[in-house]
Amino acid sequence: MGAADGDWLTLEGSSFSGRSFSSVWAVALATYGVGDVVTTIAIVYFVPTFTEANPAIRWAIQSFGGGGFLGLKLLVIYCCLGVSIWGGVLEEDPLLYYGPPVLLTVMGLAVTGFNLNLLFS
């Protein structure tokens, strides 16, 4: 079985379920992917007194606009997804399996909350 076959991209035979995988990643995408993106766009584009504090995100927005911001967010999500699949499923490591989406969820909740506080203060 080679990596190009795609046969390794399955949860069958692992100790993890597809439902747990979908659940943890749905929450991560809702908080980090949607919550942070929407609130950051609201602040950066509609509140002239604020600017993006994260230098990497600021550079992406200044260089490529909203597409650069979304591209950088997708890169982080795909890297974490890769760790979750390759490290978690293939190595049967629960920390590597659940860690990336939990980290994204915590980051998403913190940044979304911070952004909402800025928007409504």
Side-chain angles (χ1 to χ4, degrees):
M1 168 179 75
D5 296 338
D7 295 336
W8 60 272
L9 192 57
T10 181
L11 293 173
E12 286 184 32
S14 75
S15 60
F16 306 110
S17 71
R19 183 178 175 101
S20 70
F21 185 82
S22 299
S23 298
V24 294
W25 277 100
V27 173
L29 293 176
T31 57
Y32 183 79
V34 176
D36 180 29
V37 168
V38 169
T39 57
T40 299
I41 288 172
I43 287 175
V44 170
Y45 289 106
F46 300 114
V47 182
T49 57
F50 292 117
T51 185
E52 175 59 44
N54 183 327
I57 299 288
R58 187 178 335 116
W59 172 82
I61 291 172
Q62 289 173 347
S63 300
F64 304 105
F69 171 59
L70 293 176
L72 199 55
K73 296 291 277 188
L74 285 173
L75 178 65
V76 170
I77 289 169
Y78 287 145
C79 287
C80 288
L81 186 61
V83 169
S84 186
I85 291 172
W86 282 300
V89 175
L90 295 180
E91 299 297 325
E92 292 286 326
D93 186 342
L95 180 63
L96 290 176
Y97 181 76
Y98 291 111
V102 168
L103 177 66
L104 289 181
T105 299
V106 170
M107 289 283 300
L109 286 171
V111 175
T112 301
F114 181 77
N115 288 347
L116 287 172
N117 186 40
L118 287 177
L119 278 171
F120 296 112
S121 62

